Structures are given as C-alpha cells and as structure tokens.
Amino acid sequence: MRIYIFSKATPEQLPPIIALSMYCIELGYDVQLITQNTSLNNLKLFQTRGISVQNLQNNSINIPIMGKIQHWLQFRYFLSKKIKEIREDDIIWVSGADTLLLIGKSIIKRYRIIFQLNELCDELIVYRFLLKRKMRFCSKVVVPEENRSYIAEVLYNLDRRPFILPNKPYNFDNKELQVLSHIDKYISRIKDLKNDGRVLLVYQGYISDLRDLCQICRVVEKYKDSCALVLMGHDEGALAKYERLCSQIIHIPFLPAPWHLEVTALCNIGIMIYLPVSLNNIYCAPNKIWEYSKFGLAMLGNDIPGLSFINHEDIGRTVNLYDINDVDMKIKYLLDNHSSVREKSLAFYERLDMKKEILNILNAI
C-alpha cells in the first residue's frame, strides 16, 4: 500500500517527518514524501532507504509579506498537482497545521487523511478557526503528547480523542550518518572538555530571551571547574548576555536534523525550557525528550506539567527558573548523579515501540 506524507515544513525543521518516513518504509509501505527545500544530505538518506521524495525547491521573493504569500501559493499549487496523482485507496499523512490549511475541504473528504497536529495552535485564533473547519473531516488525528490529545479533542470539537505518536527519532546506522565536515571542530572541542573530566549540559533550540537560560548560566559558572554548557541553535540576540554570565559556553550554530545528534550523543545533561505562555507550551512534547533519552542523558526542565514526568521517571529534574537556589540544587544533583540516571533514561527510550504505535494508527483508518 502507498502512503503519501505531506509536509510544508522541511525534514530539517521537523525531524518527526524523517522518523515517520523511515518507520513506514520498514512497515512495508511504499512511501512518497511530498515536501520542500530538503537538503541534499537528507535526500540521500531517504533515497538510500527507498523513499521517494518529491521536493519543491522554493525560491520566494525576498520581501517579507509578499514573499510569504508567494511561498504559500507555490507550495499549495505543488500539493494540488501531486494530489491528482493519488488513488483514493492510498493514505495521505498530513503533517502540520500549515500543510492542512493548504488542502481543500473537498480533498479531505474524498481521501483517507491522517492529520498530525504538531502544535496545538491554541493561541492562534485564526488558525484554530480554520483548522476546526477541516480537522473533523480527517479520518484520524494524531498529536505527540497525551494531555494534548484531550485538549485537541475539546479545542477542535472532535468526535474522538486523537491518537498519540511521540516525537521519537529514528535510529540510523552510524555508517549512514557520516559526520558533516563543519561539525568536526565542535566535536573535537567537546571531546577535549570530556577528556578534562567536564560534565556537559546541552541546550538545543533558539537562543533567545523567550527561553530564559540566565539562572542556568549562573549555576554552570559556579561549577565551571566541573561542567560546561553547550548551546546549539540560532542566536536570536541572547547569546552575548549568556556568555557574560557564563565563561564555559560552547556555541554551535544550527545543525540540520539528524546530524545535530552527533553533538547530543557526546553530552551528559539535556536542557528543556518552555515558558508558560500557552497550553501548547506547558504541555510541550519536544523531540528533545527522545533525543536526550536516546543517548541516556539526564534531563533538566522548567517546572511545567508537560515535563513533570521526568521527576516521576527519575530521568531528570524540573526547576523553578525564578529560584536560583532551586536551580542550583537540581543542577548539582544531576552533576553528581548523571551516570546513575543514564540507565533509567536509556530504559525510558527503549520502552516506546514506534513501529507498533504507527501501525496501530494506520490499521485504525
């Protein structure tokens, strides 16, 4: 059976797309990925596994509003052409709100469509209105976290609670992920710190004031003889401030998925920060949960309900970011116990069988 995966976001922007494609091909499906602006490295990964990638190279004009409109229209036209090639007995897996909004209601009614709601969009009134009109016609809805499934059922007036498919990454063979040459210098520096006995904390994501790392920087500076902080992602203006607070920072610019995991694998403690500004944030479902546990990292998160499980599972600790003493105490605990937490983190990762979860969704359609 053929399954088409539609995603306006690129695989580099949305790593679960990579995992979904790989797991579906292992389950015996003929996988057709319809997306845009996929890197050559990821195209090779897909092609090696027998996944067909129909990839729009989008070159929008460099004018903020006009460029965005052109971008949306180009991808909508691209999708409409591809849909004409699809048989009615094929399955279409639509990933992301932006992608679903580009598909007409008549198409959604006609085909067997699984919609994966990656973000709740609870704070986006227009998105919520438009999505509500289309989601109820999808064959199945999928979300990445249990609390989000209950919220989405109410928020979008669905007939049944969505399926849950966590954002667990795919396990690539090391031979498939040859280290990109420009990553070598960062890996070398990190290995030097590890050889010096340092415990490495890693943060993956935008480096901005919206994800406040100030208290963490201060505590890492306090224990600078025994640890260091790796910040991996685009700097949106906060890096200089963090570097003033902490002398032991290694900044690594954005690395495309899944090659960013080459850095993650070398670290000991993974950081997750989500400010409580929306339901989407406080019931977060980050890829990082699984990327960290894949390599046995202990986890440090801020005190929100979506991350409280790391305390119960004893795979990390949540902190009150506004209480320096609490941040200090929890980081010190993880510095002292990251090795003993490692086995629990690895076991947490292994408990989830992604192929089984995906098959349950596909069999229910």
Side-chain angles (χ1 to χ4, degrees):
M1 183 178 292
R2 180 168 291 181
I3 180 167
Y4 288 82
I5 301 173
F6 290 179
S7 176
K8 181 175 176 289
T10 69
E12 292 78 15
Q13 294 170 322
L14 196 63
I17 289 299
I18 301 173
L20 176 64
S21 302
M22 297 296 171
Y23 287 124
C24 284
I25 203 78
E26 286 191 4
L27 288 168
Y29 286 86
D30 176 356
V31 179
Q32 307 282 320
L33 175 59
I34 314 297
T35 186
Q36 61 179 338
N37 298 333
T38 305
S39 70
L40 289 176
N41 287 311
N42 264 317
L43 283 174
K44 289 178 183 176
L45 274 184
F46 289 125
Q47 290 165 359
T48 299
R49 292 302 185 95
I51 296 168
S52 173
V53 182
Q54 299 179 52
N55 182 51
L56 172 68
Q57 287 300 325
N58 197 304
N59 298 306
S60 302
I61 56 177
N62 193 24
I63 301 174
I65 296 177
M66 293 296 294
K68 189 168 185 177
I69 293 172
Q70 182 188 14
H71 184 187
W72 277 66
L73 291 175
Q74 283 181 349
F75 194 68
R76 182 181 182 183
Y77 178 68
F78 181 65
L79 281 184
S80 66
K81 286 201 304 180
K82 298 304 175 185
I83 288 170
K84 292 177 181 177
E85 304 170 5
I86 299 175
R87 302 188 303 264
E88 290 190 18
D89 59 339
D90 292 331
I91 295 173
I92 302 176
W93 190 303
V94 177
S95 180
D98 286 355
T99 314
L100 188 68
L101 294 181
L102 293 176
I103 301 174
K105 192 188 297 184
S106 61
I107 299 296
I108 297 172
K109 289 180 177 180
R110 178 180 173 186
Y111 290 94
R112 296 189 295 166
I113 289 184
I114 299 171
F115 172 52
Q116 187 163 358
L117 181 66
N118 299 311
E119 309 290 345
L120 279 174
C121 303
D122 60 291
E123 75 281 24
L124 302 174
I125 296 174
V126 174
Y127 267 58
R128 279 170 47 197
F129 173 76
L130 295 174
L131 286 172
K132 187 179 289 189
R133 298 178 64 196
K134 293 187 175 184
M135 282 174 63
R136 61 194 180 95
F137 296 112
C138 296
S139 300
K140 299 297 173 193
V141 176
V142 178
V143 296
E145 193 265 349
E146 184 177 13
N147 292 291
R148 288 192 185 191
S149 69
Y150 289 100
I151 296 168
E153 182 182 17
V154 175
L155 200 62
Y156 293 104
N157 194 28
L158 302 176
D159 293 334
R160 61 157 293 168
R161 188 160 59 91
F163 285 85
I164 301 164
L165 183 66
N167 291 326
K168 185 176 180 178
Y170 183 79
N171 283 319
F172 284 102
D173 186 288
N174 288 337
K175 293 179 181 178
E176 291 180 279
L177 293 183
Q178 296 181 358
V179 176
L180 304 181
S181 58
H182 69 283
I183 302 178
D184 285 340
K185 60 181 179 181
Y186 301 116
I187 289 178
S188 178
R189 189 176 173 193
I190 289 171
K191 285 182 176 178
D192 287 344
L193 287 170
K194 287 179 72 73
N195 291 336
D196 194 36
R198 302 291 183 89
V199 176
L200 296 175
L201 292 83
V202 62
Y203 166 82
Q204 301 176 178
Y206 292 113
I207 302 168
S208 75
D209 291 320
L210 295 177
R211 296 185 179 182
D212 189 0
L213 301 174
C214 289
Q215 302 287 44
I216 292 173
C217 288
R218 291 186 178 101
V219 174
V220 171
E221 179 66 13
K222 178 179 178 180
Y223 300 111
K224 63 183 179 181
D225 293 334
S226 60
C227 66
L229 178 59
V230 178
L231 301 180
M232 182 163 48
H234 289 298
D235 175 25
E236 296 196 341
L239 179 62
K241 177 176 67 176
Y242 295 150
E243 288 177 332
R244 288 193 296 270
L245 295 172
C246 180
S247 60
Q248 296 299 317
I249 286 181
I250 300 173
H251 175 233
I252 302 176
F254 171 79
L255 297 177
W259 284 270
H260 68 299
L261 297 180
E262 298 293 321
V263 173
T264 307
L266 297 172
C267 298
N268 308 102
I269 299 171
I271 298 168
M272 296 178 284
I273 303 296
Y274 295 89
L275 295 187
V277 295
S278 66
L279 290 173
N280 191 69
N281 269 27
I282 66 171
Y283 292 108
C284 61
N287 311 333
K288 292 182 278 293
I289 291 171
W290 303 98
E291 292 173 350
Y292 292 158
S293 60
K294 173 180 171 66
F295 302 106
L297 273 65
M299 300 181 210
L300 181 73
N302 60 310
D303 191 12
I304 54 174
L307 294 178
S308 63
F309 75 93
I310 69 176
N311 299 307
H312 309 146
E313 295 279 352
D314 198 21
I315 58 176
R317 292 292 183 268
T318 57
V319 300
N320 179 354
L321 285 177
Y322 305 105
D323 183 347
I324 186 67
N325 293 322
D326 187 52
V327 178
D328 189 338
M329 179 177 67
K330 303 292 179 55
I331 288 181
K332 182 64 166 62
Y333 172 83
L334 293 179
L335 290 176
D336 293 341
N337 296 280
H338 68 90
S339 295
S340 62
V341 174
R342 173 179 169 80
E343 294 305 315
K344 295 174 184 175
S345 183
L346 290 169
F348 171 82
Y349 178 85
E350 291 298 333
R351 284 207 305 265
L352 177 65
D353 184 338
M354 283 290 284
K355 285 199 287 189
K356 180 180 178 181
E357 298 300 324
I358 292 171
L359 197 58
N360 285 341
I361 296 168
L362 292 172
N363 285 342
I365 192 169

